[in-house]
Each structure stands twice: as structure tokens, then as C-alpha cells.
Amino acid sequence: MANITMADTAPSCDTYLFINGETLLPNGVRAFLYTVVLAYCFIGLSAITGRFFKSMESIMKHSREVVTIDPHTNATIIKHEKVWNYTIADIALLAFGTSFPQISLATIDAIRNLGQLTAGGLGPGTLVGSAAFDLFPIHAVCVVMPRAGSKKKISDLGVWLVELFWSFWAYIWLYIILEVWTPRVITLWEALLTVLQYGLLLIHAYAQDKRWPYVSIPLARGERPEDWVPAEDALVDYDGIGEALPGQTEDIVDIFSVHSYSNAGYHHIPEKDVEESSASLTVKSNKQEDMHWLSIWWEQFVDAITLESSESRKMDSVCLRFGGIFWNLIITPWKLLFAFVPPYEIAHGWIAFICSLIFISGIAYGVTKLTDQISCVTGVSPYVIAFTALAAGTSWPDLVASKIAAERQITADSAIANITCSNSVNIYVGIGVPWLVDTMYNFFVYQKPLYIDNAAGLSFSLLVFFATSFGCITVLVLRRVILGAELGGPRLWAWATSVYFMILWVVFVVLSSLRISGVI
């Protein structure tokens, strides 16, 4: 008897994605082709993550001029202070930005379902699966990122505990509105309260960072870097473009902080020299600024079509060189497309940041269409695809962000904060906003709430997530108590922890899949 695959036994799928001739192909072939295109979309997400990350760093480095008067000498003191609070930047920029693929996918799914009384399962499934991917595989990667023997710990345990509380509460809240208050129904007020809790998270985290009385945990804060990214690592390349920051090797005068800095560090300079340097630099920068930006922008397109860098030409291994050329050839379309993102030096990185999010939204839309087709030709539930393949693929920016933070920062705050905050953002914004859109439409048009068809499966996944996440957090706490740090340490223990986190993720995926499939 011939082997029969799931794709061959799936119902006939008459819809097509690209051309009408697709429907003439066997379901198995179509499933394979759609999966390849889906993987290529995930490669695109990885490529745009590099541009997004650079723009975010530029935003977080933005400073403002603060003028004060010395009470003893009456001298004017000019300081250079960061615009973004360290903790708020982690939540509002890092976590929100890296979760934007999931948020976009869920919102697009909700808009497509407008006019239906039931919610689509693609968005919630992706976001719950993404939470598991963030907590387990990303922790597994981060714990082995520090160099052999080095340790990185959370410097501000108070802020992390606040973020951890809101992360777990997000999933408790989701279970309450799905199974307790209004079982399998989401009302307008429940959706609105879900979104508003993101604001409460920001306020509470800021209060903890500033140690406001009565609302903060009385825990001392350890040392943490002044900058989100250490200056000595500014040349690290994320997306293969390798752009250096302007003036990286020059001695530059910072007219705001009354300091001159170079690779050797900061040193004080006289105020008169600052004024003269300020005037000359202002005139010079005004003349060269536009040409500088255009030059960098043009270089992005040149780099996009460059298949082999000067460093790779020096390699002795022909196989490695060929592999690099082949990979660059594969991603050239993405690099050319993303070269249209303006340089991150413009407007402190905001234009590049917004453009990156727009591209991420476009890829997310393509992912939703591909998922529909894969589900159609294979018969696999969209929910199963959502919390496995889609969750892993759309969480790639989270993985890249936490990995880079674990490598480059002297503490573990941002690496772990991105994980816990991303989980909160997934619920409060990623699920809250799409449900708010659907509930508002149903309330004003039909005077009906939003019904959740797969509420039982979603609730079961939440229970499994609670159990496995408790095991994850317990190990992090034990590492802090025994080894003195959450990340790094002896290589054997670091890799053992990493494998343990991956096992927890496999347990979550298997149990949730079996539940959705009706096996358990």
C-alpha cells in the first residue's frame, strides 16, 4: 500500500497564493513550496532586525542639554543627559520593537476577521507560543553567551521582579478572562483593561527604577552601564553591512557634556576651547551632514549587492568562501529592499526605526497568507502552526536582541528584561489590541461580544506554560544563589542549563500540540 501523507489526505485547497496554476500541483508539493517561502520570510525578519537594532541603539543614545548653575561659584554647568530612561527604554523600545512581528501578525489577523463574531486563532496562538519561545530557547541561548568562566547578573533585581510579576500576571489575567469571568467570551471592557495594563507596567517599572516610596521594592541597585551599548563595541555588525559610527576613530568634542572623548576615554577641556570647537564644528557639520548621510545611504545599496567582503577574500578555505557567497546571494533581495531604510544617523534613528517596523509589518502580512495556505493544503490546525513555526520565526528579533545584549552588556538586565517584558507586551498589546479592535467592531455593529472558538486549547497551553515557566525561573534563581549570576559561569553548568531550558520548550510544544490535535 502506498504511503499517504497528511498533505495528500487534506481537503482540496482551491485557493492560491501567487498564481492560479498552484492548484494543479499536489498538496504535498504545495506544502513544501509554501514552507520554503515561509522560511525565506523568516530570513527577511532576521535581516531587518539588524537595521531595527541599529536604529534603536541610536535612539537610546540620544542626549539632551541640561543647564544648571553651580550654587558655590555661580558658574554655568552644561550637562549631557540621556533622553530615555534605562528601564523604560527596555520595555517601550526593546521589548515592544522585538515583539512587533507578533503584534503585527495578530493585528492583521484581527482585521481580516472583522465582521465575524469569533476571533481568529492565528494571533493568540502565535503570541502564546512566542512567550514559550522567549522564555525557554532564548534563555537557553543567553545563558551560554558570556565568555567561558565570565558571569553576568541582573544589577537591578527590583526592576526585574516588577517586570516578572507583570509578565506572569499577564498570563494569569488571560486565563481569568478566558475561563473564569466570561468563559470563552471576550467583552469590550476585558479587552480594554488588557491594553491599559501595559501602561501600568510602564508606570510601575519606572517607579521601581526611581525607587518611589510605597510602590517600589526596597532592593539596592548594583552597577550598570551608563549606555545601553558599550562604546567599545560600536563597530559590531548585525546585518552584514558593517557601518561604523561617524567619527569612530577621531577625537571628538562633545559640546554638551564639556568633555572630549576618544578611544582612550573622557578628559576635561576648558570652556573657552569648547566654545571655539562648538562654533567650528557646527559650521563644518552643517556643510557635510547632508553629503555624509547620502554617502552612507548609497553605501547601503553597494553593500547589498556585494557578494564577498574583503575579509572573506582572505580566507584560505574555498568552501567557506563559496558558502558565504552563496548565502549573500540568497539574501541579496532582502538586503536590497531594506537598503531603502534611511541611515540610522538621521533624526536620532527614529526614521529608520519606523521604517523597519513598517517592513516588519509587511513581512508579517505575508506570513499570515502563507500560514493560511499551509493549513489549507495540509489540514493542520492554524493554531498548531501558530504556536510552533510562526512563534519561533516571529520571535527571531527577540532572540537576536537578547543575544546581543547578553554578549555586549556588562550586566544581564537588558537580555533578561527583553524576555520578560516581551512576554508582557505579547499579551497586553499583542493580544489586547487585536481583541480590542474586534470587540469594538462587534459591540457597535452587532451588540455582541467576541467569541473564542479555541479557548480550551489556549487555556491548556497557558496552564502548561505556567508549570514549565516555574521550572525556568526556579533555575535562574538557583543560579543567582549558587553561582552568583543568571548568565554565564562554568561552561558545563551553562550548557546544562541551556539544555534544560530547551527540554522545557519541547515539553510545552508537544503537550500543547497533542491537546489541540485532540490526542489528550
Side-chain angles (χ1 to χ4, degrees):
M1 181 181 294
N3 292 330
I4 300 176
T5 64
M6 180 181 294
D8 293 328
T9 59
S12 176
C13 183
D14 296 329
T15 60
Y16 60 91
L17 185 63
F18 300 110
I19 57 175
N20 192 20
E22 296 173 21
T23 56
L24 302 177
L25 297 173
N27 282 351
V29 175
R30 294 177 66 187
F32 173 77
L33 293 177
Y34 295 147
T35 303
V36 169
V37 177
L38 182 64
Y40 194 66
C41 286
F42 291 152
I43 293 175
L45 280 177
S46 175
I48 192 61
T49 297
R51 302 224 178 247
F52 158 77
F53 213 88
K54 286 182 178 180
S55 64
M56 185 188 66
E57 287 183 359
S58 183
I59 292 172
M60 297 171 79
K61 288 178 180 178
H62 183 207
S63 302
R64 62 186 173 187
E65 180 181 340
V66 177
V67 181
T68 58
I69 304 297
D70 190 315
H72 302 289
T73 63
N74 289 328
T76 300
I77 301 174
I78 302 176
K79 294 183 178 180
H80 203 203
E81 294 185 354
K82 299 295 181 184
V83 172
W84 281 89
N85 172 268
Y86 194 96
T87 299
I88 297 301
D90 278 339
I91 302 174
L93 289 179
L94 183 61
F96 181 83
T98 54
S99 296
F100 200 74
Q102 301 96 301
I103 296 172
S104 298
L105 192 147
T107 304
I108 292 170
D109 188 49
I111 294 174
R112 293 192 310 162
N113 281 279
L114 283 178
Q116 302 182 22
L117 294 179
T118 58
L122 195 60
T126 302
L127 290 158
V128 173
S130 175
F133 189 89
D134 286 350
L135 194 63
F136 306 128
I138 296 183
H139 266 127
V141 170
C142 289
V143 77
V144 297
M145 279 300 103
R147 296 173 182 174
S150 64
K151 301 175 183 179
K152 295 186 178 183
K153 64 180 181 180
I154 299 172
S155 65
D156 197 334
L157 281 175
V159 169
W160 180 65
L161 290 175
V162 168
E163 293 167 346
L164 189 65
F165 164 77
W166 284 101
S167 176
F168 274 94
W169 168 248
Y171 292 89
I172 294 173
W173 166 257
L174 188 60
Y175 186 85
I176 289 174
I177 62 177
L178 281 173
E179 297 291 342
V180 180
W181 280 0
T182 53
R184 305 186 180 186
V185 169
I186 301 298
T187 65
L188 175 60
W189 295 111
E190 288 172 338
L192 182 60
L193 287 174
T194 302
V195 175
L196 291 178
Q197 288 181 74
Y198 179 64
L200 294 179
L201 163 62
L202 290 171
I203 295 173
H204 193 184
Y206 183 79
Q208 179 63 42
D209 183 74
K210 295 300 183 181
R211 297 303 192 269
W212 289 358
Y214 308 113
V215 293
S216 61
I217 304 172
L219 291 175
R221 177 169 45 224
E223 295 183 1
R224 71 182 183 188
E226 177 66 21
D227 290 330
W228 190 88
V229 179
E232 61 269 18
D233 289 329
L235 282 172
V236 173
D237 182 22
Y238 304 119
D239 58 0
I241 293 176
E243 297 168 358
L245 294 178
Q248 190 67 40
T249 59
E250 300 175 0
D251 189 53
I252 307 173
V253 175
D254 183 349
I255 62 174
F256 298 110
S257 61
V258 200
H259 285 76
S260 172
Y261 62 94
S262 63
N263 292 334
Y266 284 85
H267 58 274
H268 184 77
I269 59 177
E271 184 175 353
K272 180 180 179 181
D273 293 342
V274 171
E275 294 175 354
E276 294 175 353
S277 300
S278 173
S280 61
L281 282 178
T282 301
V283 174
K284 184 177 180 180
S285 62
N286 288 338
K287 293 179 179 179
Q288 297 180 351
E289 190 174 30
D290 292 339
M291 292 301 299
H292 175 67
W293 289 344
L294 291 175
S295 176
I296 292 179
W297 205 341
W298 172 252
E299 190 65 25
Q300 292 180 176
F301 288 93
V302 174
D303 289 333
I305 60 176
T306 302
L307 299 181
E308 189 176 20
S309 64
S310 57
E311 291 78 9
S312 64
R313 293 191 186 98
K314 301 176 183 178
M315 292 182 179
D316 296 330
S317 174
V318 177
C319 294
L320 289 177
R321 289 185 60 184
F322 178 77
I325 293 173
F326 180 72
W327 174 252
N328 285 327
L329 185 63
I330 292 176
I331 65 175
T332 292
W334 286 125
K335 293 173 69 175
L336 275 173
L337 179 63
F338 300 146
F340 286 96
V341 176
Y344 58 91
E345 292 89 352
I346 301 176
H348 306 294
W350 278 108
I351 298 178
F353 184 84
I354 295 172
C355 289
S356 297
L357 295 184
I358 292 173
F359 275 115
I360 289 173
S361 298
I363 297 175
Y365 176 76
V367 167
T368 60
K369 303 295 290 185
L370 284 165
T371 304
D372 288 342
Q373 291 300 110
I374 293 174
S375 176
C376 182
V377 300
T378 62
V380 176
S381 169
Y383 185 80
V384 174
I385 299 175
F387 70 76
T388 52
L390 288 189
T394 56
S395 293
W396 190 256
D398 286 318
L399 175 60
V400 173
S402 291
K403 173 183 176 293
I404 294 174
E407 285 177 323
R408 299 177 61 187
Q409 284 206 323
I410 63 174
T411 70
D413 291 71
S414 290
I416 296 181
N418 178 52
I419 298 171
T420 53
C421 293
S422 291
N423 285 348
S424 301
V425 171
N426 284 344
I427 298 301
Y428 300 136
V429 181
I431 290 183
V433 170
W435 279 358
L436 183 61
V437 171
D438 282 342
T439 53
M440 287 182 64
Y441 187 89
N442 288 357
F443 179 81
F444 290 108
V445 176
Y446 304 115
Q447 287 75 51
K448 296 283 186 178
L450 181 67
Y451 297 95
I452 311 297
D453 282 342
N454 59 345
L458 191 60
S459 300
F460 179 83
S461 296
L462 289 173
L463 293 177
V464 176
F465 177 77
F466 289 147
T468 51
S469 60
F470 178 79
C472 176
I473 299 302
T474 300
V475 168
L476 287 177
V477 173
L478 289 176
R479 284 181 56 86
R480 179 64 178 254
V481 173
I482 299 174
L483 301 178
E486 291 80 8
L487 305 181
R491 300 307 287 175
L492 176 62
W493 290 109
W495 280 104
T497 305
S498 179
V499 171
Y500 171 72
F501 288 156
M502 291 303 299
I503 291 174
L504 290 178
W505 183 60
V506 171
V507 169
F508 169 82
V509 170
V510 170
L511 291 180
S512 297
S513 299
L514 292 176
R515 174 68 174 185
I516 295 298
S517 302
V519 177
I520 59 175

